[in-house]
Amino acid sequence: MNKKIGYAIAFALTLAAPFVGYPVFLMKLLCFALFACAFNLLIGFTGLLSFGHAAFFGAAGYATGNALRNWGLPFEMALLAGVAAGALIGFVMGSLAIRRQGIYFSMITLALAQMVYFAGLRFTDFTGGEDGLQGVPRGKLLGMIDLHDDLTMYYVVLAIAVAGFALIMRTVHSPFGQTLKAIKENEPRAISLGYDVDKYKLMAFVLSASLAALAGATKTVVLGFETLTDVHWAMSGLVILMTLVGGMGTLVGPIIGAIIIIALENKLGDFGTFVASHTGVEWFNTLGEAVNMVTGLIFVTCVLLFRKGIVGEIVALTGRRRSA
């Protein structure tokens, strides 16, 4: 019951958020929150650490951008094209990577993701190369609702993010999700019980890739462009950081982590300028350039003090109090 109340309050806050904050920034937060939740489905509930999720996130953005700008597809079909591209890459990458375990699995995903990055760098007709894919129109929802209005677009993105989160929640609490948890906890035992572990891993990998692709496709529509940043390995590291800071293996943790990291990246420079103007200390103007150092300090702090992430530690503390 408490969880339902919490979800209801959070949903009410997101409905009111665009009247208080900047809608485009809020939409970006929603896209990265969905991206982090998709990654958490793989690492938090299946135990597979992928360093290649940027490939799905960015490739879907390029596919959706081309579908809207160059192919003339409607908004819904463009999103489906992006999700299909991410799912296809996920299937190929997963089929190769699940043959190995541990660090070898992670390195294979990293190597394959870098192949996608270099493909984006070379196939300039499709990706725009270093200049990126610019001028992506938002189109119309169902051919009638103009999405160029930020407020309208926000509620569409909110519906997509909520639907993605609901799918993840349903997956985690389904028999399929329980099997994934069993594989994470004790893979040899799951094999001895007769489960085709590789099949379950591949299904989880493709589902995670598809949801990451949905996040990337939506982000491209929101911002109107797609660049190589989204397919670079640093984006894969960023989503790992979001998940670990928020709480790996929790449903809400990746959302909190995404909000913290993206808000820092976007607002730290503005905060430094504000403080510098009111205190006269010019050093604060450099905070925007030091965002990587700040996020690194947050990561180190979480590793040392909050081993389970912010939400994970709160859940553990609540559990200990109930036991006492």
Side-chain angles (χ1 to χ4, degrees):
M1 183 61 69
N2 291 334
K3 288 185 178 180
K4 291 182 179 179
I5 295 174
Y7 289 141
I9 294 173
F11 184 64
L13 290 175
T14 55
L15 287 176
F19 299 102
V20 179
Y22 182 44
V24 175
F25 172 69
L26 295 174
M27 286 186 277
K28 185 177 178 181
L29 281 181
L30 289 173
C31 292
F32 275 101
L34 178 58
F35 184 29
C37 288
F39 176 76
N40 184 53
L41 178 64
L42 191 66
I43 187 175
F45 297 100
T46 314
L48 298 177
L49 175 57
S50 167
F51 279 108
H53 262 54
F56 321 130
F57 188 73
Y62 282 121
T64 298
N66 277 281
L68 284 169
R69 195 189 74 168
N70 299 328
W71 305 340
L73 294 180
F75 170 76
E76 300 83 4
M77 294 301 296
L79 282 186
L80 287 176
V83 173
L88 179 61
I89 295 174
F91 178 78
V92 174
M93 188 182 295
S95 298
L96 296 172
I98 62 171
R99 300 170 186 268
R100 295 293 181 265
Q101 296 180 349
I103 190 64
Y104 303 104
F105 171 88
S106 301
M107 290 300 99
I108 290 173
T109 58
L110 175 61
L112 294 174
Q114 282 302 98
M115 291 176 62
V116 175
Y117 170 78
F118 285 113
L121 188 63
R122 297 300 180 185
F123 296 152
T124 56
D125 292 339
F126 184 78
T127 65
E130 294 182 351
D131 296 329
L133 191 65
Q134 307 291 333
V136 177
R138 290 182 179 177
K140 294 183 178 181
L141 179 65
L142 302 176
M144 298 179 294
I145 304 174
D146 191 358
L147 297 177
H148 288 88
D149 178 63
D150 286 341
L151 191 60
T152 303
M153 187 69 204
Y154 172 82
Y155 287 112
V156 172
V157 174
L158 178 60
I160 292 172
V162 170
F165 182 74
L167 177 60
I168 292 172
M169 184 184 297
R170 181 70 186 89
T171 300
V172 168
H173 292 102
S174 67
F176 173 71
Q178 298 304 311
T179 304
L180 295 181
K181 290 180 182 179
I183 293 172
K184 176 189 175 184
E185 295 296 329
N186 196 329
E187 184 173 332
R189 181 174 176 82
I191 295 174
S192 68
L193 292 174
Y195 289 104
D196 188 344
V197 170
D198 287 345
K199 183 182 74 173
Y200 278 93
K201 285 183 179 180
L202 181 58
M203 291 171 65
F205 196 95
V206 174
L207 178 59
S208 178
S210 300
L211 289 168
L214 178 60
T218 306
K219 173 180 170 289
T220 298
V221 178
V222 168
L223 300 182
F225 62 86
E226 178 63 33
T227 64
L228 288 171
T229 303
D230 286 346
V231 289
H232 194 260
W233 66 267
M235 183 60 70
S236 297
L238 187 65
V239 74
I240 294 173
L241 179 61
M242 293 175 188
T243 306
L244 293 180
V245 168
M248 184 179 67
T250 63
L251 288 170
V252 182
I255 299 176
I256 303 299
I259 292 173
I260 292 173
I261 299 302
I262 299 302
L264 276 175
E265 284 194 344
N266 285 268
K267 299 301 181 182
L268 193 59
D270 296 339
F271 174 75
T273 303
F274 175 80
V275 174
S277 63
H278 284 75
T279 61
V281 181
E282 292 297 324
W283 177 83
F284 284 103
N285 283 319
T286 63
L287 276 179
E289 301 174 2
V291 63
N292 289 332
M293 181 179 69
V294 175
T295 54
L297 288 174
I298 291 175
F299 175 67
V300 171
T301 303
C302 285
V303 169
L304 294 177
L305 302 179
F306 306 102
R307 298 294 298 273
K308 298 179 181 179
I310 296 172
V311 176
E313 288 294 339
I314 293 174
V315 172
L317 179 61
T318 304
R320 287 195 295 269
R321 286 185 175 179
R322 287 178 178 176
S323 298

